[in-house]
């Protein structure tokens, strides 16, 4: 019986409902573990918050394995060494660093108004712990940040930077509303991080007077995507970059519009500038591209910023316009149409890579808790952490070059949100207590990537053999600019632990047993 070589990939998962049994006390991992939900959370206060043990100096045969389990391990470091042979019954996975794929941009989350409002309700000491958890040397060390241009649904009200009707010259443009909370939040993160953070901006809607319907909720271009008003909107976006630069904040990128296709289940419930692919091409060609690239030539412009199934039509239409394509650097994608990855549609990302290989691919928004039957927070829910892990591995093994979470922090109800569109987040803040926040399993799923896969890392080949009883685990491998190999695994079995042997030719095998529903990141020198 021949067994084909399989690249680590992701397949359609069948989700089973299981009974959650109370577990024993979790192993010590520095986490102040609180049993909440199906798994539990790590509690942080001004006086204590768990950190991640550094990789440090590794010998030639040394490996560091960071593991997170439903039972309570959270990025817990386990020291290991290469062996000459795989363990008996272990499933062998082999890395080939000579086979290279895409170069990574990074991993991170969004600096929303809601995040800033919640963080500012914490004591100063707890605020510091939260920023350190995301951006400090002992934290996740995010390298991507998304910033809404003016308000989005995760604001407490609708606002723009120029509400003076007919002000095409933008004489009344002002970002004063961002000065008290959003800008200080971003500057604190930038100041704390020793890694460069690539910021990109997204606009949900222009000011109401710039739309045909005089509304920011479900509006359309006024007089078309290349009208004087639409050119003024492009200048509005460009002035945003100028104003933030005056505050010491530089941007790397811009998405043309957040979710421009609209969603019949939700739109129009919050801000949106609805357009067709042809209209986006015209807007980029005649207004946004010339203005933004003229004023800020280094800004990377990303088209779409919407669901994966739209990629074929939108990428072919927008990038089929030669002049529009000349202004576009990448394609931004969201995960929501996969219904929290119950239905995997990663092949759409591969379509973009195969048909438009000169454009980078970046996942620009994802969250859990958005579906009507499971809306809001589920504190301590392990399944939601697994959703993140599955999606990150799936996106990256289909050519995505990074992954961006939605709000970096929300309150315990999943807000604030003026449209009542509450969701979940990796960090939830007890705004009444004022000194406590909780790290959900999603936080640690993010860390398995962001902590170890630095910008400039290259995805490399990771393969295995499919056996009759061995379905390959979702996994992916990278070589970092620092000269380390990073391999990430998700044992997605609901019930069974998996013994694996990670083979790096010339070094040997790292033998590890992964508990059911666990995550593991392997780090060693190339």
């Amino acid at each position: 019986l021949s067994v084909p070589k399989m690249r680590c990939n992701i397949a359609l998962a069948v989700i089973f409902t299981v009974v959650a049994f109370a577990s024993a006390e979790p192993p010590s991992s520095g986490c102040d573990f609180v049993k909440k939900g199906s798994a539990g959370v790590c509690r942080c206060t001004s006086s204590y918050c768990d950190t991640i043990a550094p990789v440090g100096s590794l010998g030639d045969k040394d490996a560091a394995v960071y593991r997170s389990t439903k039972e309570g391990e959270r990025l817990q470091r386990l020291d290991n060494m290469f062996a000459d042979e795989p363990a008996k019954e272990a499933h062998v996975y082999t890395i080939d660093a000579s086979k290279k794929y895409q170069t990574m941009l990074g991993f991170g989350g969004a600096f929303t108004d809601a995040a800033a409002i919640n963080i500012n309700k914490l004591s100063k000491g707890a605020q510091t712990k939260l920023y350190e958890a995301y951006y400090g040397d002992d934290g996740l060390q995010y390298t991507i940040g998304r910033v809404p241009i003016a308000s989005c649904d995760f604001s407490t009200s609708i606002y723009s930077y120029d509400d003076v009707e007919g002000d095409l010259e933008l004489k009344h443009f002002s970002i004063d509303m961002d000065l008290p909370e959003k800008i200080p939040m971003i500057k604190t993160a930038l100041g704390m991080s020793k890694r460069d953070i690539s910021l990109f901006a997204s606009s949900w809607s222009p000011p109401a007077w710039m739309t045909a319907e005089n509304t920011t909720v479900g509006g359309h271009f006024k007089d078309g995507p290349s009208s004087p008003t639409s050119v003024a909107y492009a200048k509005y976006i460009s002035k945003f970059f100028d104003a933030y630069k005056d505050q010491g904040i530089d941007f790397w990128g811009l998405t043309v519009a957040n979710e421009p296709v609209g969603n019949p289940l939700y739109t129009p419930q919050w801000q949106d500038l609805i357009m067709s692919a042809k209209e986006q091409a015209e807007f980029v060609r005649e207004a946004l591209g010339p203005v933004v690239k003229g004023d800020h030539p280094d800004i990377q412009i990303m088209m779409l910023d919407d669901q994966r199934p739209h990629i074929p039509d939108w990428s072919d239409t927008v990038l089929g316009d030669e002049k529009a394509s000349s202004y576009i650097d990448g394609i931004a994608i969201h995960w929501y149409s996969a219904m929290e990855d119950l239905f995997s549609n990663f092949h759409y990302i591969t379509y973009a890579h195969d048909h438009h290989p000169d454009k980078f691919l970046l996942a620009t928004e994802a969250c859990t808790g958005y579906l009507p039957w499971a809306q809001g927070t589920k504190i301590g829910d392990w399944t939601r952490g697994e959703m993140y892990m599955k999606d990150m591995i799936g996106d990256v093994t289909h050519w995505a070059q990074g992954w961006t979470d939605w709000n970096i922090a929300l309150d315990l109800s999943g807000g604030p949100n003026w449209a009542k569109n509450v969701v979940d987040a990796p960090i939830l803040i007890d705004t009444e207590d004022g000194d406590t926040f909780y790290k959900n399993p999603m936080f640690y799923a993010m860390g398995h990537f962001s902590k170890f896969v630095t910008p400039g890392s290259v995805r490399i080949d990771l393969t295995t053999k499919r056996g009759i009883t061995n379905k390959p685990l979702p996994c992916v491998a990278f070589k970092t600019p620092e000269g380390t190999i990073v391999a990430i695994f998700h044992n997605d079995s609901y019930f069974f632990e998996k013994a694996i042997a990670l083979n790096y030719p010339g070094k040997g095998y790292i033998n590890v047993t992964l508990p059911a529903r666990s995550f593991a990141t392997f780090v060693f020198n190339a």
Side-chain angles (χ1 to χ4, degrees):
L1 179 67
S2 63
V3 285
K5 181 180 282 190
M6 302 286 292
R7 284 188 173 79
C8 285
N9 212 323
I10 197 93
L12 177 65
V14 180
I15 306 298
F16 298 92
T17 301
V18 297
V19 179
F21 294 94
S23 62
E25 286 298 310
S28 174
S29 62
C31 166
D32 179 11
F33 188 82
V34 179
K35 185 69 173 73
K36 288 180 180 287
S38 64
V41 292
C42 295
R43 176 172 51 200
C44 295
T45 66
S46 59
S47 59
Y48 181 77
C49 194
D50 59 294
T51 58
I52 303 169
V55 173
S57 178
L58 297 174
D60 186 58
K61 288 287 187 177
D62 295 336
V65 181
Y66 291 81
R67 194 168 70 180
S68 297
T69 65
K70 184 174 181 288
E71 290 67 35
E73 292 180 1
R74 298 293 185 267
L75 281 169
Q76 180 165 322
R77 176 174 171 153
L78 308 170
D79 290 328
N80 208 313
M81 295 190 72
F82 280 93
D84 293 333
E85 300 291 337
K88 187 178 180 181
E89 306 299 332
H91 194 177
V92 177
Y93 293 76
T94 301
I95 291 174
D96 183 349
S98 69
K99 292 183 179 179
K100 300 177 181 179
Y101 302 97
Q102 76 271 32
T103 300
M104 304 305 295
L105 295 168
F107 298 83
F111 296 106
T112 59
D113 287 329
I117 290 166
N118 290 319
I119 292 170
N120 283 339
K121 289 182 179 179
L122 287 170
S123 65
K124 292 297 183 184
Q127 287 183 36
T128 298
K129 294 292 187 186
L130 188 149
Y131 285 115
E132 288 174 343
Y134 274 127
Y135 306 103
D137 291 351
D138 297 327
L140 302 193
Q141 294 187 281
Y142 273 4
T143 53
I144 290 279
R146 188 187 193 201
V147 180
I149 297 175
S151 65
C152 65
D153 48 316
F154 280 93
S155 303
T156 54
S157 64
I158 296 174
Y159 66 86
S160 82
Y161 298 133
D162 190 340
D163 285 328
V164 178
E165 186 169 356
D167 184 18
L168 296 180
E169 296 183 5
L170 303 173
K171 292 180 179 179
H172 300 278
F173 181 95
S174 173
I175 61 163
D176 284 353
M177 58 285 293
D178 291 353
L179 295 177
E181 293 186 304
K182 188 156 73 173
I183 285 174
M185 170 179 59
I186 297 168
K187 293 175 80 169
T188 300
L190 294 175
M192 184 170 289
S193 178
K194 290 183 180 177
R195 294 181 180 176
D196 291 335
I197 299 176
S198 297
L199 298 176
F200 70 92
S202 299
S203 178
W204 269 242
S205 172
W209 60 269
M210 290 187 180
T211 69
E213 297 85 354
N214 196 33
T215 180
T216 65
V217 180
H220 296 78
F221 287 113
K222 184 176 183 179
D223 301 323
S226 57
S227 69
T229 304
S230 296
V231 172
Y233 178 40
K235 292 178 179 178
Y236 172 94
I237 293 171
S238 183
K239 286 180 75 67
F240 167 83
F241 292 129
D242 292 333
Y244 265 67
K245 187 174 184 63
D246 289 343
Q247 295 296 320
I249 299 174
D250 291 313
F251 278 79
W252 161 82
L254 166 71
T255 67
V256 176
N258 176 72
E259 298 188 351
V261 181
N263 186 322
L265 291 178
Y266 294 101
T267 303
Q269 292 186 15
W270 55 78
Q271 291 128 292
D272 203 0
L273 180 65
I274 297 173
M275 64 187 79
S276 68
K278 287 185 178 179
E279 287 174 320
Q280 182 160 107
E282 182 180 344
F283 179 55
V284 171
R285 180 182 71 241
E286 302 297 334
L288 188 70
V291 170
V292 170
K293 287 289 189 178
D295 295 341
H296 307 279
D298 294 330
I299 290 287
Q300 304 290 292
I301 296 179
M302 292 169 272
M303 60 158 288
L304 190 56
D305 204 18
D306 213 318
Q307 316 309 325
R308 293 191 287 247
H310 300 306
I311 289 174
D313 176 54
W314 275 64
S315 62
D316 289 348
T317 299
V318 177
L319 301 178
D321 184 314
E322 185 175 351
K323 187 174 179 183
S325 180
S326 70
Y327 293 116
I328 292 171
D329 303 283
I331 302 172
I333 50 180
H334 294 188
W335 83 333
Y336 301 108
S337 64
M339 295 178 67
E340 297 185 344
D341 280 343
L342 289 173
F343 306 105
S344 299
N345 50 27
F346 301 114
H347 62 281
Y348 291 114
I349 310 174
T350 297
Y351 179 95
H353 169 266
D354 290 347
H355 290 79
H356 308 286
D358 58 325
K359 309 301 182 184
F360 68 79
L361 295 157
L362 180 64
T364 50
E365 185 184 315
C367 69
T368 58
Y370 66 91
L371 293 171
W373 54 86
Q375 190 162 20
T377 61
K378 288 180 70 174
I379 190 167
D381 188 77
W382 189 254
T383 298
R384 289 185 170 183
E386 289 186 285
M387 290 174 184
Y388 270 40
M389 181 60 70
K390 177 183 176 182
D391 200 80
M392 286 186 284
I393 293 176
D395 278 5
V396 169
T397 54
H398 289 79
W399 297 96
Q401 291 168 254
W403 205 89
T404 316
D405 183 36
W406 194 198
N407 305 271
I408 60 171
L410 293 174
D411 63 24
L412 294 177
S413 67
N417 184 294
W418 71 261
K420 310 302 181 186
N421 179 36
V422 294
V423 298
D424 215 338
I427 285 181
L428 297 177
I429 294 174
D430 186 337
T431 54
E432 293 186 6
D433 173 274
D435 195 55
T436 302
F437 63 90
Y438 300 98
K439 295 176 177 177
N440 264 325
M442 294 175 287
F443 177 90
Y444 297 94
M446 291 293 302
H448 276 276
F449 279 85
S450 66
K451 180 69 176 177
F452 308 102
V453 184
T454 53
S457 296
V458 176
R459 180 167 72 92
I460 54 179
D461 213 39
L462 178 56
T463 56
T464 188
K465 292 181 179 179
R466 178 185 288 275
I468 295 174
T469 60
N470 276 321
K471 177 178 75 72
L473 299 180
C475 55
V476 64
F478 307 89
K479 184 175 182 180
T480 73
E482 295 78 25
T484 58
I485 301 296
V486 175
I488 301 165
F489 284 79
H490 175 203
N491 179 5
D492 58 351
S493 170
Y494 256 59
F495 306 108
F496 303 109
E497 66 180 22
K498 301 287 185 178
I500 68 169
L502 181 61
N503 176 31
Y504 191 73
K507 280 185 179 285
Y509 300 83
I510 305 172
N511 293 302
V512 171
T513 297
L514 302 182
R517 304 181 69 183
S518 65
F519 317 142
T521 297
F522 297 70
V523 185
F524 55 89
N525 292 328

